[in-house]
Amino acid sequence: MIATGDSFIARRIPENDQRAKSIKDWISGADVRFTNLEITTHQKEGYPSPFSGGTWAMAEPSVLDDLKYYGFNLYNWATNHTMDYLQGGLLATERELDARGLIHAGAGRTLAAAAEPRYVDTVQGRVALIGATSTFYEASLAGDPTPHIKGRPGINPLRYEEVYYVTKSEMATLKQISSNTHIDANEMLNRLEGFSVEGGQDELLFSGKLFKIADRSHRVRRPLKKDIERLTASIQAARRQADYVIVSIHSHEMEGMDKNTPADFLRDAARVCIDAGAHTIFGHGPHVVRGIELYQGRPIFYSLGNFIFQNDSVSYLPSDFYQKYGLRTDANVADGYDVRSDFGKKGLGVNPYVWESIIAKLAWDGDDLESIELQPIKLGFEQARYQRGWPELSDNVEVLQRIKELSRSFGTEIVVEGKKAMVVCK
């Protein structure tokens, strides 16, 4: 299996590009070749959402031909960008994926379609892919039909419950602020009128967040039970229909402001998926690499970073984008990118960790994981924003060392040898 992170592809591969050929050749030996599709592909066919995943992600459908050129045969497309152009953009992207015979999971015309396993048959065995995302706006949720109402296109969600624990004195302060500012007046009225459930004596819904009293201040997030049940049901079905089961989870959530550290609920969800029968978890989302965990002998990649990242090359953006940055709606994308980055002084473009990543190669012998090789890639950090973003095989051991350190907290040992790294699997 080959696993890559986010493919936010907005441009076509240059003709005779040796970087692409080298990666294509390196990938081609694998039976399963996975990437995460983080862009919609259509001819402006959907209405722009009032909210986006950061950039309203849209590209010409022909970029899918370039991903196919690399050799990818499995795609997750449940991300925070799936619904950037609402249902019209989703349906058009699905049409373009299907027209090319690309196997994709995580989004669809109904919740059942978004959650179901999708299969690729190889000479070495049949492999299932199940996709989900924890990062999305509520309007992105797929919905199932009833006997009278049709379903809703959208993503397969992995939601989480969130509780903030505070001390008694901190709770008293929150209650005073709530009383003085009427920040929770609607919620209080709903409780009085029976439209919302009354909370316990030691808890408070403050500005839409649930607070409870504890000895110390902290936050706890847990996967939403019904989403975990849907995920595990898909895994258990796939386990009976395939030799291997891959779960792909797109998650930007983190601990504090540390992008390198996965959220507590994501760690819980990933382990539950392994317990249910998944062979591996391919994570992505924060645009940087995260650590690798071997749980029950099976790998959890909390983030594979970027494979292609061209969020400053999207050709067309809606008025919402320009208004967000105080520009007139007749501005152009170059104006928007200039202002968003403060003329190249801030944002993802100035973070070198965004522009170096890895490709993971997993070898299996039946259910047993034999090896994991990590191949570094670079995406052109020092290039102009309209040039960077293409992956290139690299000898950058710094990204390997960083993954090694990030994996220590999970008890995972990684050996860096020369220009590659190997995860100690046994």
Side-chain angles (χ1 to χ4, degrees), residues 221-403:
R221 291 167 292 183
R222 297 185 180 90
L224 193 65
K225 182 180 178 183
K226 63 181 178 181
D227 289 350
I228 282 292
E229 288 175 346
R230 187 189 324 106
L231 261 178
T232 54
S234 293
I235 293 166
Q236 289 162 0
R239 196 66 184 89
R240 288 172 284 160
Q241 295 296 109
D243 299 290
Y244 299 93
V245 179
I246 298 169
V247 176
S248 170
I249 303 176
H250 192 76
S251 181
H252 287 242
E253 289 78 17
M254 59 193 133
E255 290 299 319
M257 293 182 66
D258 183 6
K259 279 190 171 186
N260 296 118
T261 304
D264 46 5
F265 77 88
L266 179 60
R267 298 194 297 270
D268 292 343
R271 293 165 184 166
V272 170
C273 288
I274 297 293
D275 288 336
H279 286 80
T280 182
I281 311 297
F282 292 159
H284 32 79
H287 299 301
V288 293
V289 296
R290 287 174 171 169
I292 302 167
E293 179 178 10
L294 290 177
Y295 174 73
Q296 309 287 20
R298 295 187 172 178
I300 301 170
F301 297 86
Y302 283 107
S303 176
L304 289 154
N306 291 319
F307 179 69
I308 298 170
F309 193 53
Q310 298 167 348
N311 73 323
D312 286 333
S313 297
V314 175
S315 298
Y316 301 101
L317 292 162
S319 61
D320 310 79
F321 175 84
Y322 299 111
Q323 292 167 0
K324 178 179 179 179
Y325 294 105
L327 294 168
R328 292 161 49 105
T329 54
D330 61 355
N332 56 54
V333 292
D335 297 330
Y337 296 141
D338 282 344
V339 174
R340 181 170 70 175
S341 67
D342 192 16
F343 296 88
K345 298 175 187 172
K346 66 181 183 182
L348 297 176
V350 300
N351 181 356
Y353 292 167
V354 169
W355 307 95
E356 54 187 33
S357 190
I358 53 121
I359 302 172
K361 181 186 289 184
L362 294 74
W364 297 84
D365 180 10
D367 272 351
D368 296 327
L369 178 66
E370 285 202 322
S371 65
I372 301 175
E373 178 184 339
L374 305 179
Q375 165 66 52
I377 57 173
K378 59 183 180 180
L379 281 75
F381 171 59
E382 284 142 3
Q383 296 175 345
R385 70 183 179 211
Y386 53 84
Q387 293 176 328
R388 65 188 170 209
W390 290 119
E392 181 178 359
L393 296 178
S394 167
D395 58 3
N396 176 20
V397 297
E398 291 182 8
V399 67
L400 301 178
Q401 293 289 356
R402 189 160 67 254
I403 295 174

Side-chain angles (χ1 to χ4, degrees), residues 52-66:
S52 82
T55 301
W56 278 259
M58 176 179 64
E60 291 286 328
S62 54
V63 300
L64 295 175
D65 298 324
D66 291 323

